[in-house]
């Protein structure tokens, strides 16, 4: 079973409730919320206040992707605002196992994101401390970028490293329906998509199209 996680980065921020309702109607499994600080990545998006506002509008799990430096300073606020999953970047965390423990102690699922240039071995010593791995298939910072093909191999390597552990492997960046089947075959369990869903005329249909493509025989 593949999960579809629309990234609200490509939604209409002035009509977020409306856009969220559209992807819920399409059967989205969770919402992916991109948090950027203008330091870890060259763009600024939203903080805990908006996560709290989204929390009031949907029962879907909120998958909060922190593209920020020193994430440990803000993790409690994001969990209090309603994040179900909190993903930090390996590159932003000198004390990664401590940060993952912090997330779990607050009652959320702990995720690690890897930039395209970061090897899977960065996960080697935290394999039992995480609930999800987010394989970046673009350099983070913006929606609408092109998928970097090296992510296919990265997903397979992460899967092999995880062994039998029940850890989700998400892929984030440039995901479109024509890639979905291959990504599921690589071992991805969650497809994050922003522009492919919210850039479509009918976001609900776009969620269904991604799922159908991922599960096609
Ligand atoms: C990129 C973000 C992604 C992005 C995906 O920095 O982490 O979640 O919104 O958008 P698309 O699907 O348009 O690449
Ligand atoms: Zn993201």
């Amino acid at each position: 079973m593949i999960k579809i996680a629309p990234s609200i980065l490509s939604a209409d921020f002035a009509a977020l409730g409306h856009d969220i309702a559209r992807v819920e109607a399409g059967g989205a499994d969770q919402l992916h919320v991109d948090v950027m600080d203008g330091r870890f990545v060259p763009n600024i998006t939203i903080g805990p206040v908006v996560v709290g506002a989204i929390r009031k509008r949907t029962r879907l799990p909120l998958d909060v992707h922190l593209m920020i430096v020193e994430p440990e300073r803000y993790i409690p606020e994001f969990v209090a605002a309603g994040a179900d999953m909190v993903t930090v970047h390996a590159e932003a965390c000198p004390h990664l196992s401590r940060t993952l423990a912090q997330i779990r102690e607050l009652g959320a699922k702990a995720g690690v994101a890897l930039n395209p240039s970061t090897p899977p071995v960065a996960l080697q010593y935290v394999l039992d401390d995480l609930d999800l791995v987010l394989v970046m298939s673009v350099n983070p910072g913006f929606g609408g970028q092109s998928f970097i093909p090296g992510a296919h191999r990265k997903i397979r390597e992460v899967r092999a490293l995880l062994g039998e552990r029940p850890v989700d492997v998400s892929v984030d960046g440039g995901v479109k329906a024509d890639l979905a089947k291959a990504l599921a075959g690589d071992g991805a369990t969650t497809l994050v998509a922003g522009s492919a869903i919210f850039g479509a005329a009918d976001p609900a249909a776009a969620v269904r199209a991604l799922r159908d493509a991922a599960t096609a025989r």
Side-chain angles (χ1 to χ4, degrees):
M1 257 302 280
I2 198 105
K3 287 180 272 196
I4 308 296
S7 161
I8 61 154
L9 187 59
S10 295
D12 178 353
F13 277 92
L16 213 39
H18 170 75
D19 275 5
I20 289 169
R22 301 221 284 184
V23 295
E24 269 186 326
D29 298 285
Q30 59 201 44
L31 284 181
H32 183 86
V33 182
D34 287 308
V35 176
M36 306 186 185
D37 66 351
R39 293 189 62 205
F40 183 70
V41 290
N43 194 7
I44 299 177
T45 56
I46 59 156
V49 172
V50 176
V51 172
I54 296 169
R55 177 73 293 161
K56 292 194 194 117
R57 285 300 191 104
T58 182
R59 297 172 74 158
L60 291 178
L62 301 182
D63 156 32
V64 176
H65 176 193
L66 297 181
M67 286 159 276
I68 66 176
V69 298
E70 300 178 13
E72 58 285 346
R73 292 176 56 191
Y74 299 100
I75 287 165
E77 277 184 73
F78 281 105
V79 176
D84 299 280
M85 292 159 254
V86 177
T87 297
V88 295
H89 268 265
E91 305 84 7
C93 296
H95 307 292
L96 184 57
S97 80
R98 179 189 288 158
T99 306
L100 295 172
Q102 178 193 16
I103 297 169
R104 282 183 163 181
E105 277 162 21
L106 290 165
K109 290 188 175 169
V112 177
L114 301 176
N115 279 338
S117 62
T118 302
V121 72
L123 303 170
Q124 180 90 60
Y125 292 96
V126 292
L127 293 173
D128 293 312
D129 305 329
L130 46 78
D131 304 294
L132 73 118
V133 176
L134 186 65
V135 174
M136 292 306 302
S137 41
V138 296
N139 288 293
F142 303 95
Q145 302 183 82
S146 299
F147 181 88
I148 297 173
H152 289 295
R153 181 174 152 203
K154 175 96 62 92
I155 293 165
R156 293 194 293 267
E157 289 178 4
V158 166
R159 241 321 138 210
L161 203 56
L162 288 167
E164 296 301 306
R165 293 174 182 83
V167 170
D168 267 316
V169 177
S170 289
V171 54
D172 183 11
V175 173
K176 310 267 179 265
D178 61 351
L179 290 163
K181 191 170 168 16
L183 291 168
D186 293 330
T189 52
T190 304
L191 303 180
V192 175
S195 50
I197 292 175
F198 291 106
D202 181 348
V207 171
R208 290 191 289 266
L210 266 173
R211 190 188 308 285
D212 289 350
T215 54
R217 286 180 168 265

